[in-house]
Amino acid sequence: GAVVSQHPSWVICKSGTSVKIECRSLDFQATTMFWYRQFPKQSLMLMATSNEGSKATYEQGVEKDKFLINHASLTLSTLTVTSAHPEDSSFYICSAPRDSNYGYTFGSGTRLTVV
Amino acid sequence: RKEVEQDPGPFNVPEGATVAFNCTYSNSASQSFFWYRQDCRKEPKLLMSVYSSGNEDGRFTAQLNRASQYISLLIRDSKLSDSATYLCVVNRGSGNMLTFGGGTRLMVKP
């Protein structure tokens, strides 16, 4: 149980275009969704926290106008990378908390390549 | 100082070896601790939670030392399939936000 479906798994886009990444909780309600980014050989870095029905909270240094987060329902959170540039190429992954014993459920990640 | 620090490795060990990873965290208010495993280009997967009294799951043993603010993971009888990056994960002490260590890479050789 407690599956988060993330898609697309990978995407290649041209500089200047926008890319939307979706995370859906399939068998539970995710009131909170965390969005992470991971560059090669680096750790997962929290970008922002989305909460259903309210504005997302962004970590320091993350541009909220560039990384648009929407959490319109209890089962869907989206991250849109606007006007993507090659330096935005990374592994983006979402995660929803479960409980203190079971940690967090992760989506399968999206590998974004901007050319 | 990073919030969660790990030796990046890699740790190269033969099959059957015992290997231990340590992790230190800076936020003394942290309450929840986990070890996750991440395979290349995949999402992290929960390996085990870490409890104050220490806990074991098969070949894996996790321990927590709150006074020194470090967490350990011991893997006995290493298998080839244990090759992965092991992430030490700590909550921030309030709310649900997690902080990830940089990961320790393990390579088990035949």
Side-chain angles (χ1 to χ4, degrees), chain B:
Chain B
R1 182 186 174 188
K2 291 182 181 177
E3 287 187 62
V4 181
E5 292 203 66
Q6 294 181 251
D7 180 343
F11 284 61
N12 295 298
V13 303
E15 268 187 293
T18 295
V19 61
F21 307 138
N22 288 328
C23 162
T24 58
Y25 61 95
S26 61
N27 188 344
S28 60
S30 297
Q31 294 295 322
S32 300
F33 310 91
F34 309 93
W35 282 102
Y36 276 77
R37 169 195 170 128
Q38 186 176 26
D39 293 288
C40 189
R41 295 175 176 262
K42 300 281 189 180
E43 76 276 20
K45 293 187 176 177
L46 180 65
L47 180 64
M48 58 197 304
S49 300
V50 186
Y51 302 120
S52 297
S53 54
N55 48 301
E56 187 175 305
D57 183 1
R59 297 181 294 110
F60 300 87
T61 301
Q63 292 194 314
L64 168 65
N65 185 318
R66 286 187 183 271
S68 301
Q69 294 181 203
Y70 83 77
I71 307 152
S72 65
L73 176 68
L74 183 77
I75 305 176
R76 290 181 297 278
D77 189 22
S78 299
K79 312 291 185 190
L80 294 176
S81 57
D82 293 334
S83 297
T85 296
Y86 290 83
L87 304 170
C88 175
V89 185
V90 176
N91 84 326
R92 287 187 176 180
S94 61
N96 288 321
M97 286 185 285
L98 298 177
T99 301
F100 286 79
T104 298
R105 191 174 172 206
L106 171 66
M107 297 180 70
V108 181
K109 308 282 188 178

Side-chain angles (χ1 to χ4, degrees), chain A residues 76-87:
Chain A
L76 175 64
S77 177
T78 63
L79 166 67
T80 301
V81 183
T82 62
S83 187
H85 291 284
E87 57 265 32

Side-chain angles (χ1 to χ4, degrees), chain A residues 18-71:
Chain A
S18 295
V19 174
K20 180 185 280 189
I21 301 169
E22 292 189 352
C23 279
R24 292 180 184 274
S25 57
L26 297 185
D27 52 359
F28 70 104
Q29 293 182 331
T31 55
T32 300
M33 191 75 75
F34 299 108
W35 286 93
Y36 295 88
R37 179 168 55 182
Q38 186 178 33
F39 292 107
K41 297 187 179 181
Q42 294 187 26
S43 182
L44 278 78
M45 297 299 296
L46 181 65
M47 299 176 66
T49 304
S50 73
N51 295 290
E52 187 269 335
S54 62
K55 289 184 178 179
T57 304
Y58 290 81
E59 295 297 299
Q60 192 172 12
V62 178
E63 300 174 60
K64 63 179 181 180
D65 294 329
K66 180 171 180 63
F67 299 99
L68 301 179
I69 289 175
N70 185 284
H71 197 146

